[in-house]
């Protein structure tokens, strides 16, 4: 089931979801992202109540008309002194005066936005200075109020906070990378000096995301992409999980509205069916914990829509498979009772091996602590439990906002505070050690998004790629044309293999040739979908004649093994194409030639269409031995490749591997890699043999152990030349004593006999102690 997000009004209590590795993005100012709709009566999500189920589809209440500060003052009165409350009211009056006559796109007074941002900060119980800065956060940028005036009216700390927020200039998302990097740098450095800057900024972005309905679709998508790529990971890094999850769902709803609506509808329909199971589990857990004298709050938790969607996409699961997992949270009264409760639950339901994680003993980087375990509940359904204390719960939901700090060296700092403080201070250290904004951004992005690799073009543009990406991925990320014509790469100004895994900070330069074409071997090491799809497109189109010829040959052999005439009748071809969804027989042959379809299975299907054995009958995996071998001439092109692991040459015993979308790969019969893969996929191997007319040279690797003496390399190379072989690669490894060296050559020979003669000739060279052919 391909579900996908829409109503941008999501607040719920979902399971955690890891953010995919994003590309660097600009941090847009509040005015750019925020001229959306109405103010919120209640902006920040309240702590999760102990209920059986809280819907992730709850819609924030929007109020139109005159903006009111009453709700904000009621929240602040719960924890502020009268003197602080008076200062906040002064800031409100000044902000109201500055924004007088200014309206949002919804038609509401603009002051409703600063009030809503302040309410979110009030839910975190930030101090009076932070609340005042939240109310004033747009006056410098929008109304040209000077910092000096704010210092005079409200004091330097408040003015510095507003100044830190106002320094985030309005630049367009997807603008020049240098501008993006500089803007992001300013935000993070302001955050490093005072964490309240980013807390207010996140509250600002949250309200903007909640009230974006009146925006144009293109602008909604741009701001949502920016939110997902910049603000969501920052919220996660700071442990602000409520904000992190809600921003994810809101971004999802604006980026993919149809998918969001479909998924929301499915979740709503499934919730009723799950109620009975949830109730049964809840009652059992509560009674078991009570019998063990453990005071605990137990309640169900639901995944966010984005969390469900991401899990379906990443693990290729159906909606029902994702919803088959039930989640519960157990909040106990003390640290020891976390482990007591764990043991009690394990006695109630059987734990699933390998599904226990102790994030209390080893907390996550952002301070998160909980015990995670998955048990087999009633009806055999998996049940996930998170066990934590009230203090851990506050940290898990509010992160750094639960214990925010501003001063260095606070003796009462918690471990989580110290970690956050150390990370913020590291931003200042990185700034001092880097020469420009782009380099600073690269370092910080690596910290925020550890699953991504950030590399540079020769012109210093930052490219984000998945970890493990190669220069081919990089080339295709720039442009498909560059990827298609790539011949070599320079990494950090040094030649490198196209298989090299890129590292953070690498400067990558692609060398192209108009006559070069993609190789099917690239598919074995590329990581990005864009590169993979482009290579496959090339194999299906540019090399279509080769693939068709190979596919026809493979199918003919498979049909012959079943006693069927390869010449198919017209009515049989028509039925075959209809049932296989191929548009033509050539397309069917091409699919077989590139490994997308198995010749043996297609032959079995044809046998069934002719009234023989069922098309679904099992295929004999040993049938490859019964077929006439496919002839390999060595000039077939990209549809037939010689395996780089063993480099077969004429005279070697060989076997063929049909790889999906990559054609036929030929290994030597004794290749260890081939033997391992044959065990895993026995039906993808066919018998092959060398042809009689081989008018080309074949690569082979040899290794020599030589004395470390003058002129030895020249003598060996000369003897290889005298033996009528061409050298394409030379490498040398020396031993610790510098007495013996290992020489490695890749040479081009005609066949096995030619190679044997060359080995005998080189073995006679003075200084050569040993020579052998290098295998996989």
């Amino acid at each position: 089931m391909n579900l996908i997000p829409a109503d941008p009004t999501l607040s719920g209590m979902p399971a955690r979801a890891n953010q995919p590795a994003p590309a660097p993005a600009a941090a847009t100012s509040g005015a750019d992202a925020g001229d959306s709709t109405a103010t919120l009566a209640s902006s920040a999500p309240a702590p999760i109540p102990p209920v059986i189920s809280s819907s992730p589809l709850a819609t924030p209440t929007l109020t139109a008309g005159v903006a009111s500060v009453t709700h904000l003052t009621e929240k602040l009165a719960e924890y502020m002194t009268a003197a602080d409350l008076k200062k906040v009211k002064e800031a409100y009056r000044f902000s109201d005066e500055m924004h007088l006559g200014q309206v949002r796109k919804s038609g509401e007074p603009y002051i409703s936005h600063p009030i809503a941002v302040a309410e979110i900060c009030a839910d975190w119980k930030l101090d009076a200075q932070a609340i005042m800065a939240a109310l004033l956060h747009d006056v410098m940028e929008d109304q040209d109020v000077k910092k000096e005036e704010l210092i005079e009216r409200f004091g330097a700390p408040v003015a510095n906070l507003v100044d830190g927020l106002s320094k985030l200039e309005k630049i367009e998302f997807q603008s020049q990378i240098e501008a993006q990097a500089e803007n992001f740098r300013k935000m993070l450095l302001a955050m490093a000096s005072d964490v309240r800057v980013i807390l207010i900024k996140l509250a600002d972005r949250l309200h903007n995301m909640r009230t974006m309905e009146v925006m144009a679709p293109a602008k909604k998508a741009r701001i949502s992409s920016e939110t997902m790529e910049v603000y969501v990971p920052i919220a996660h890094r700071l442990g602000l999980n409520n904000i992190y999850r809600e921003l994810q769902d809101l971004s999802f709803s604006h980026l993919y509205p149809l998918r969001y609506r479909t998924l929301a509808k499915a979740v709503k329909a499934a919730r009723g069916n799950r109620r009975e199971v949830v109730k049964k589990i809840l009652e059992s857990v509560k009674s078991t914990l009570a019998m063990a004298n453990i005071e605990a709050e137990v309640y169900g938790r639901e995944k966010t829509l984005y969390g469900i969607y991401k899990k379906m996409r990443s693990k290729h699961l159906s909606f029902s498979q994702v919803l088959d997992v039930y989640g519960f949270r157990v909040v106990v009264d003390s640290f020891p009772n976390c482990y007591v409760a764990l043991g009690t639950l394990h006695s109630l339901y059987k734990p699933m091996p390998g599904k226990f994680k102790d994030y209390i003993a080893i907390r996550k980087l952002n301070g998160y602590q909980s015990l995670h375990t998955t048990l087999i509940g009633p009806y055999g359904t998996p049940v996930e439990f998170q066990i934590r204390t009230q203090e851990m719960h506050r940290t898990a939901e509010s992160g750094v906002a639960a214990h925010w700090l501003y001063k260095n060296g606070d003796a009462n700092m918690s471990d989580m505070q110290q970690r956050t403080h150390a990370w913020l201070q590291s931003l200042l250290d990185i700034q001092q050690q880097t020469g420009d904004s782009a380099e600073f951004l690269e370092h910080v992005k690596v910290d925020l998004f550890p699953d991504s690799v950030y590399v540079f073009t020769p012109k210093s543009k930052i490219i984000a790629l998945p970890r493990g990406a190669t220069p081919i991925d990089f080339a295709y990320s720039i442009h498909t044309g560059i990827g298609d014509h790539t011949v070599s790469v320079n990494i950090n100004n040094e030649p490198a293999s196209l298989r090299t895994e890129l590292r953070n900070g690498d400067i990558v330069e692609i060398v192209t040739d108009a006559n070069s074409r993609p190789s099917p071997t690239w598919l074995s090491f590329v990581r990005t979908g864009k590169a993979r799809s482009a290579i496959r497109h090339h194999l299906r189109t540019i090399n279509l004649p080769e693939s068709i010829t190979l596919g026809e040959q493979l199918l003919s052999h498979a049909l012959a093994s079943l006693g069927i005439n390869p010449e198919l009748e017209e009515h049989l071809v028509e039925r075959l194409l209809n049932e296989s969804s191929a548009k033509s027989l050539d397309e069917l042959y091409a699919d077989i030639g590139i490994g997308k379809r198995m010749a043996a299975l297609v032959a079995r299907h044809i046998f069934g269409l002719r009234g023989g054995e069922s098309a679904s009958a099992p295929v004999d995996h040993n049938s490859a031995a019964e077929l006439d071998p496919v002839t390999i001439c060595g000039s077939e092109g990209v549809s037939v490749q010689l395996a780089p692991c063993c480099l077969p040459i004429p005279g070697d015993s060989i076997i063929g591997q049909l790889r999906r979308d990559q054609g036929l790969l030929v290994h030597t019969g004794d290749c260890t890699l081939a033997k391992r893969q044959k065990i895993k996929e026995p039906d993808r191997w066919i018998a092959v043999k060398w042809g009689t007319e081989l008018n080309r040279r074949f690569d082979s690797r040899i290794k020599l152990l030589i004395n470390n003496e003058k002129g030895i390399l020249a003598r060996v190379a000369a003897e290889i030349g005298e033996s009528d072989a061409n050298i394409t690669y030379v490498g040398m490894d020396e031993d610790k004593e510098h007495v013996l060296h290992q020489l490695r050559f890749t040479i081009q020979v005609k066949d096995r006999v030619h190679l044997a003669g060359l080995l005998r000739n080189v073995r006679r060279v003075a200084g050569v102690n040993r020579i052998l052919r290098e295998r996989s």
Side-chain angles (χ1 to χ4, degrees), residues 455-481:
V455 296
F456 292 84
T457 68
K459 294 185 178 180
S460 298
K461 181 180 180 181
I462 299 176
I463 303 295
L465 296 167
R467 192 165 296 280
T470 64
I472 297 296
D473 296 295
F474 175 86
Y476 278 107
S477 71
I478 301 297
H479 192 275
T480 302

PDB file of all heavy atoms in Angstrom, residues 455-481:
ATOM      1  N   VAL A 455      30.232  16.869   0.803  1.00  0.00           N
ATOM      2  CA  VAL A 455      31.451  17.044   0.019  1.00  0.00           C
ATOM      3  C   VAL A 455      31.338  18.345  -0.777  1.00  0.00           C
ATOM      4  O   VAL A 455      30.262  18.923  -0.902  1.00  0.00           O
ATOM      5  CB  VAL A 455      31.691  15.849  -0.924  1.00  0.00           C
ATOM      6  CG1 VAL A 455      31.915  14.574  -0.126  1.00  0.00           C
ATOM      7  CG2 VAL A 455      30.528  15.662  -1.885  1.00  0.00           C
ATOM      8  N   PHE A 456      32.482  18.774  -1.323  1.00  0.00           N
ATOM      9  CA  PHE A 456      32.549  20.046  -2.028  1.00  0.00           C
ATOM     10  C   PHE A 456      32.850  19.822  -3.510  1.00  0.00           C
ATOM     11  O   PHE A 456      33.607  18.926  -3.873  1.00  0.00           O
ATOM     12  CB  PHE A 456      33.657  20.931  -1.437  1.00  0.00           C
ATOM     13  CG  PHE A 456      33.378  21.422  -0.050  1.00  0.00           C
ATOM     14  CD1 PHE A 456      33.657  20.639   1.051  1.00  0.00           C
ATOM     15  CD2 PHE A 456      32.825  22.673   0.155  1.00  0.00           C
ATOM     16  CE1 PHE A 456      33.409  21.087   2.333  1.00  0.00           C
ATOM     17  CE2 PHE A 456      32.567  23.130   1.429  1.00  0.00           C
ATOM     18  CZ  PHE A 456      32.865  22.339   2.521  1.00  0.00           C
ATOM     19  N   THR A 457      32.252  20.669  -4.339  1.00  0.00           N
ATOM     20  CA  THR A 457      32.671  20.744  -5.731  1.00  0.00           C
ATOM     21  C   THR A 457      33.940  21.594  -5.790  1.00  0.00           C
ATOM     22  O   THR A 457      34.290  22.265  -4.809  1.00  0.00           O
ATOM     23  CB  THR A 457      31.591  21.405  -6.602  1.00  0.00           C
ATOM     24  OG1 THR A 457      31.482  22.790  -6.230  1.00  0.00           O
ATOM     25  CG2 THR A 457      30.237  20.722  -6.408  1.00  0.00           C
ATOM     26  N   PRO A 458      34.658  21.590  -6.921  1.00  0.00           N
ATOM     27  CA  PRO A 458      35.848  22.456  -7.014  1.00  0.00           C
ATOM     28  C   PRO A 458      35.532  23.936  -6.808  1.00  0.00           C
ATOM     29  O   PRO A 458      36.428  24.718  -6.487  1.00  0.00           O
ATOM     30  CB  PRO A 458      36.347  22.185  -8.441  1.00  0.00           C
ATOM     31  CG  PRO A 458      35.873  20.805  -8.745  1.00  0.00           C
ATOM     32  CD  PRO A 458      34.531  20.696  -8.081  1.00  0.00           C
ATOM     33  N   LYS A 459      34.256  24.328  -6.989  1.00  0.00           N
ATOM     34  CA  LYS A 459      33.861  25.719  -6.771  1.00  0.00           C
ATOM     35  C   LYS A 459      33.259  25.946  -5.386  1.00  0.00           C
ATOM     36  O   LYS A 459      32.575  26.929  -5.135  1.00  0.00           O
ATOM     37  CB  LYS A 459      32.873  26.153  -7.846  1.00  0.00           C
ATOM     38  CG  LYS A 459      33.489  26.192  -9.241  1.00  0.00           C
ATOM     39  CD  LYS A 459      32.506  26.745 -10.274  1.00  0.00           C
ATOM     40  CE  LYS A 459      33.152  26.825 -11.645  1.00  0.00           C
ATOM     41  NZ  LYS A 459      32.207  27.353 -12.670  1.00  0.00           N
ATOM     42  N   SER A 460      33.504  24.980  -4.480  1.00  0.00           N
ATOM     43  CA  SER A 460      33.117  25.089  -3.063  1.00  0.00           C
ATOM     44  C   SER A 460      31.621  25.004  -2.802  1.00  0.00           C
ATOM     45  O   SER A 460      31.154  25.409  -1.751  1.00  0.00           O
ATOM     46  CB  SER A 460      33.660  26.389  -2.447  1.00  0.00           C
ATOM     47  OG  SER A 460      35.060  26.399  -2.492  1.00  0.00           O
ATOM     48  N   LYS A 461      30.864  24.469  -3.741  1.00  0.00           N
ATOM     49  CA  LYS A 461      29.457  24.212  -3.465  1.00  0.00           C
ATOM     50  C   LYS A 461      29.352  22.923  -2.672  1.00  0.00           C
ATOM     51  O   LYS A 461      30.022  21.939  -2.971  1.00  0.00           O
ATOM     52  CB  LYS A 461      28.667  24.090  -4.770  1.00  0.00           C
ATOM     53  CG  LYS A 461      27.182  23.849  -4.552  1.00  0.00           C
ATOM     54  CD  LYS A 461      26.424  23.734  -5.870  1.00  0.00           C
ATOM     55  CE  LYS A 461      24.944  23.486  -5.628  1.00  0.00           C
ATOM     56  NZ  LYS A 461      24.180  23.341  -6.888  1.00  0.00           N
ATOM     57  N   ILE A 462      28.493  22.915  -1.636  1.00  0.00           N
ATOM     58  CA  ILE A 462      28.340  21.738  -0.789  1.00  0.00           C
ATOM     59  C   ILE A 462      27.283  20.814  -1.384  1.00  0.00           C
ATOM     60  O   ILE A 462      26.186  21.237  -1.723  1.00  0.00           O
ATOM     61  CB  ILE A 462      27.932  22.139   0.642  1.00  0.00           C
ATOM     62  CG1 ILE A 462      29.008  23.017   1.275  1.00  0.00           C
ATOM     63  CG2 ILE A 462      27.688  20.907   1.498  1.00  0.00           C
ATOM     64  CD1 ILE A 462      28.651  23.540   2.638  1.00  0.00           C
ATOM     65  N   ILE A 463      27.615  19.537  -1.478  1.00  0.00           N
ATOM     66  CA  ILE A 463      26.695  18.516  -1.962  1.00  0.00           C
ATOM     67  C   ILE A 463      26.490  17.490  -0.853  1.00  0.00           C
ATOM     68  O   ILE A 463      27.467  16.971  -0.302  1.00  0.00           O
ATOM     69  CB  ILE A 463      27.238  17.807  -3.221  1.00  0.00           C
ATOM     70  CG1 ILE A 463      27.529  18.833  -4.327  1.00  0.00           C
ATOM     71  CG2 ILE A 463      26.269  16.743  -3.713  1.00  0.00           C
ATOM     72  CD1 ILE A 463      26.309  19.542  -4.860  1.00  0.00           C
ATOM     73  N   ALA A 464      25.235  17.225  -0.510  1.00  0.00           N
ATOM     74  CA  ALA A 464      24.917  16.237   0.518  1.00  0.00           C
ATOM     75  C   ALA A 464      24.630  14.898  -0.141  1.00  0.00           C
ATOM     76  O   ALA A 464      23.841  14.813  -1.077  1.00  0.00           O
ATOM     77  CB  ALA A 464      23.711  16.688   1.330  1.00  0.00           C
ATOM     78  N   LEU A 465      25.277  13.857   0.355  1.00  0.00           N
ATOM     79  CA  LEU A 465      25.093  12.508  -0.180  1.00  0.00           C
ATOM     80  C   LEU A 465      24.948  11.525   0.984  1.00  0.00           C
ATOM     81  O   LEU A 465      25.393  11.808   2.090  1.00  0.00           O
ATOM     82  CB  LEU A 465      26.312  12.108  -1.035  1.00  0.00           C
ATOM     83  CG  LEU A 465      26.565  12.932  -2.297  1.00  0.00           C
ATOM     84  CD1 LEU A 465      27.957  12.627  -2.845  1.00  0.00           C
ATOM     85  CD2 LEU A 465      25.505  12.655  -3.350  1.00  0.00           C
ATOM     86  N   PRO A 466      24.320  10.373   0.741  1.00  0.00           N
ATOM     87  CA  PRO A 466      24.241   9.378   1.812  1.00  0.00           C
ATOM     88  C   PRO A 466      25.612   8.826   2.157  1.00  0.00           C
ATOM     89  O   PRO A 466      26.503   8.795   1.298  1.00  0.00           O
ATOM     90  CB  PRO A 466      23.341   8.286   1.235  1.00  0.00           C
ATOM     91  CG  PRO A 466      23.090   8.625  -0.171  1.00  0.00           C
ATOM     92  CD  PRO A 466      23.638   9.970  -0.471  1.00  0.00           C
ATOM     93  N   ARG A 467      25.775   8.411   3.408  1.00  0.00           N
ATOM     94  CA  ARG A 467      27.051   7.827   3.815  1.00  0.00           C
ATOM     95  C   ARG A 467      27.342   6.589   2.958  1.00  0.00           C
ATOM     96  O   ARG A 467      26.469   5.769   2.722  1.00  0.00           O
ATOM     97  CB  ARG A 467      27.000   7.452   5.294  1.00  0.00           C
ATOM     98  CG  ARG A 467      28.370   7.097   5.870  1.00  0.00           C
ATOM     99  CD  ARG A 467      28.328   7.089   7.381  1.00  0.00           C
ATOM    100  NE  ARG A 467      28.052   8.394   7.939  1.00  0.00           N
ATOM    101  CZ  ARG A 467      28.961   9.371   8.089  1.00  0.00           C
ATOM    102  NH1 ARG A 467      30.218   9.160   7.680  1.00  0.00           N
ATOM    103  NH2 ARG A 467      28.636  10.526   8.614  1.00  0.00           N
ATOM    104  N   GLY A 468      28.584   6.471   2.507  1.00  0.00           N
ATOM    105  CA  GLY A 468      28.950   5.373   1.617  1.00  0.00           C
ATOM    106  C   GLY A 468      28.861   5.738   0.152  1.00  0.00           C
ATOM    107  O   GLY A 468      29.162   4.909  -0.713  1.00  0.00           O
ATOM    108  N   ALA A 469      28.470   6.984  -0.159  1.00  0.00           N
ATOM    109  CA  ALA A 469      28.353   7.413  -1.555  1.00  0.00           C
ATOM    110  C   ALA A 469      29.731   7.482  -2.214  1.00  0.00           C
ATOM    111  O   ALA A 469      30.760   7.653  -1.553  1.00  0.00           O
ATOM    112  CB  ALA A 469      27.662   8.767  -1.634  1.00  0.00           C
ATOM    113  N   THR A 470      29.736   7.368  -3.526  1.00  0.00           N
ATOM    114  CA  THR A 470      30.968   7.331  -4.314  1.00  0.00           C
ATOM    115  C   THR A 470      30.993   8.505  -5.297  1.00  0.00           C
ATOM    116  O   THR A 470      30.003   9.231  -5.439  1.00  0.00           O
ATOM    117  CB  THR A 470      31.043   6.013  -5.108  1.00  0.00           C
ATOM    118  OG1 THR A 470      29.948   5.989  -6.049  1.00  0.00           O
ATOM    119  CG2 THR A 470      30.944   4.806  -4.184  1.00  0.00           C
ATOM    120  N   PRO A 471      32.114   8.697  -5.997  1.00  0.00           N
ATOM    121  CA  PRO A 471      32.170   9.773  -6.999  1.00  0.00           C
ATOM    122  C   PRO A 471      31.087   9.661  -8.070  1.00  0.00           C
ATOM    123  O   PRO A 471      30.657  10.678  -8.619  1.00  0.00           O
ATOM    124  CB  PRO A 471      33.564   9.620  -7.593  1.00  0.00           C
ATOM    125  CG  PRO A 471      34.378   9.047  -6.488  1.00  0.00           C
ATOM    126  CD  PRO A 471      33.456   8.107  -5.767  1.00  0.00           C
ATOM    127  N   ILE A 472      30.644   8.440  -8.397  1.00  0.00           N
ATOM    128  CA  ILE A 472      29.571   8.291  -9.381  1.00  0.00           C
ATOM    129  C   ILE A 472      28.281   8.925  -8.850  1.00  0.00           C
ATOM    130  O   ILE A 472      27.569   9.625  -9.575  1.00  0.00           O
ATOM    131  CB  ILE A 472      29.351   6.797  -9.704  1.00  0.00           C
ATOM    132  CG1 ILE A 472      30.616   6.204 -10.338  1.00  0.00           C
ATOM    133  CG2 ILE A 472      28.164   6.628 -10.646  1.00  0.00           C
ATOM    134  CD1 ILE A 472      30.993   6.797 -11.670  1.00  0.00           C
ATOM    135  N   ASP A 473      27.974   8.691  -7.561  1.00  0.00           N
ATOM    136  CA  ASP A 473      26.810   9.336  -6.953  1.00  0.00           C
ATOM    137  C   ASP A 473      26.942  10.859  -7.025  1.00  0.00           C
ATOM    138  O   ASP A 473      25.983  11.570  -7.321  1.00  0.00           O
ATOM    139  CB  ASP A 473      26.664   8.908  -5.486  1.00  0.00           C
ATOM    140  CG  ASP A 473      26.378   7.433  -5.339  1.00  0.00           C
ATOM    141  OD1 ASP A 473      25.307   7.005  -5.784  1.00  0.00           O
ATOM    142  OD2 ASP A 473      27.224   6.718  -4.787  1.00  0.00           O
ATOM    143  N   PHE A 474      28.134  11.327  -6.726  1.00  0.00           N
ATOM    144  CA  PHE A 474      28.400  12.768  -6.765  1.00  0.00           C
ATOM    145  C   PHE A 474      28.156  13.316  -8.174  1.00  0.00           C
ATOM    146  O   PHE A 474      27.496  14.343  -8.349  1.00  0.00           O
ATOM    147  CB  PHE A 474      29.844  13.023  -6.333  1.00  0.00           C
ATOM    148  CG  PHE A 474      30.284  14.452  -6.454  1.00  0.00           C
ATOM    149  CD1 PHE A 474      30.057  15.358  -5.429  1.00  0.00           C
ATOM    150  CD2 PHE A 474      30.937  14.900  -7.598  1.00  0.00           C
ATOM    151  CE1 PHE A 474      30.474  16.678  -5.547  1.00  0.00           C
ATOM    152  CE2 PHE A 474      31.356  16.208  -7.723  1.00  0.00           C
ATOM    153  CZ  PHE A 474      31.116  17.097  -6.691  1.00  0.00           C
ATOM    154  N   ALA A 475      28.678  12.624  -9.188  1.00  0.00           N
ATOM    155  CA  ALA A 475      28.542  13.094 -10.575  1.00  0.00           C
ATOM    156  C   ALA A 475      27.079  13.185 -10.982  1.00  0.00           C
ATOM    157  O   ALA A 475      26.644  14.186 -11.567  1.00  0.00           O
ATOM    158  CB  ALA A 475      29.303  12.166 -11.516  1.00  0.00           C
ATOM    159  N   TYR A 476      26.302  12.168 -10.640  1.00  0.00           N
ATOM    160  CA  TYR A 476      24.883  12.191 -11.006  1.00  0.00           C
ATOM    161  C   TYR A 476      24.103  13.216 -10.195  1.00  0.00           C
ATOM    162  O   TYR A 476      23.082  13.723 -10.657  1.00  0.00           O
ATOM    163  CB  TYR A 476      24.266  10.804 -10.847  1.00  0.00           C
ATOM    164  CG  TYR A 476      24.527   9.899 -12.023  1.00  0.00           C
ATOM    165  CD1 TYR A 476      25.425   8.840 -11.928  1.00  0.00           C
ATOM    166  CD2 TYR A 476      23.886  10.109 -13.247  1.00  0.00           C
ATOM    167  CE1 TYR A 476      25.674   8.010 -13.020  1.00  0.00           C
ATOM    168  CE2 TYR A 476      24.127   9.287 -14.328  1.00  0.00           C
ATOM    169  CZ  TYR A 476      25.020   8.243 -14.219  1.00  0.00           C
ATOM    170  OH  TYR A 476      25.255   7.445 -15.308  1.00  0.00           O
ATOM    171  N   SER A 477      24.557  13.517  -8.985  1.00  0.00           N
ATOM    172  CA  SER A 477      23.865  14.537  -8.203  1.00  0.00           C
ATOM    173  C   SER A 477      24.046  15.924  -8.810  1.00  0.00           C
ATOM    174  O   SER A 477      23.204  16.804  -8.636  1.00  0.00           O
ATOM    175  CB  SER A 477      24.373  14.543  -6.750  1.00  0.00           C
ATOM    176  OG  SER A 477      25.689  15.061  -6.678  1.00  0.00           O
ATOM    177  N   ILE A 478      25.136  16.123  -9.546  1.00  0.00           N
ATOM    178  CA  ILE A 478      25.359  17.395 -10.243  1.00  0.00           C
ATOM    179  C   ILE A 478      24.475  17.456 -11.481  1.00  0.00           C
ATOM    180  O   ILE A 478      23.698  18.394 -11.668  1.00  0.00           O
ATOM    181  CB  ILE A 478      26.838  17.550 -10.638  1.00  0.00           C
ATOM    182  CG1 ILE A 478      27.744  17.485  -9.397  1.00  0.00           C
ATOM    183  CG2 ILE A 478      27.047  18.864 -11.391  1.00  0.00           C
ATOM    184  CD1 ILE A 478      27.542  18.586  -8.400  1.00  0.00           C
ATOM    185  N   HIS A 479      24.590  16.438 -12.339  1.00  0.00           N
ATOM    186  CA  HIS A 479      23.796  16.404 -13.572  1.00  0.00           C
ATOM    187  C   HIS A 479      23.906  15.007 -14.172  1.00  0.00           C
ATOM    188  O   HIS A 479      24.980  14.387 -14.130  1.00  0.00           O
ATOM    189  CB  HIS A 479      24.310  17.444 -14.579  1.00  0.00           C
ATOM    190  CG  HIS A 479      23.385  17.676 -15.729  1.00  0.00           C
ATOM    191  ND1 HIS A 479      23.399  16.882 -16.866  1.00  0.00           N
ATOM    192  CD2 HIS A 479      22.409  18.598 -15.924  1.00  0.00           C
ATOM    193  CE1 HIS A 479      22.476  17.319 -17.705  1.00  0.00           C
ATOM    194  NE2 HIS A 479      21.861  18.354 -17.158  1.00  0.00           N
ATOM    195  N   THR A 480      22.809  14.530 -14.723  1.00  0.00           N
ATOM    196  CA  THR A 480      22.810  13.189 -15.327  1.00  0.00           C
ATOM    197  C   THR A 480      23.834  13.088 -16.441  1.00  0.00           C
ATOM    198  O   THR A 480      24.504  12.061 -16.601  1.00  0.00           O
ATOM    199  CB  THR A 480      21.413  12.851 -15.868  1.00  0.00           C
ATOM    200  OG1 THR A 480      20.469  12.932 -14.804  1.00  0.00           O
ATOM    201  CG2 THR A 480      21.376  11.457 -16.454  1.00  0.00           C
ATOM    202  N   GLY A 481      23.987  14.148 -17.237  1.00  0.00           N
ATOM    203  CA  GLY A 481      24.958  14.141 -18.325  1.00  0.00           C
ATOM    204  C   GLY A 481      26.378  13.963 -17.828  1.00  0.00           C
ATOM    205  O   GLY A 481      27.187  13.277 -18.466  1.00  0.00           O
TER     206      GLY A 481
END
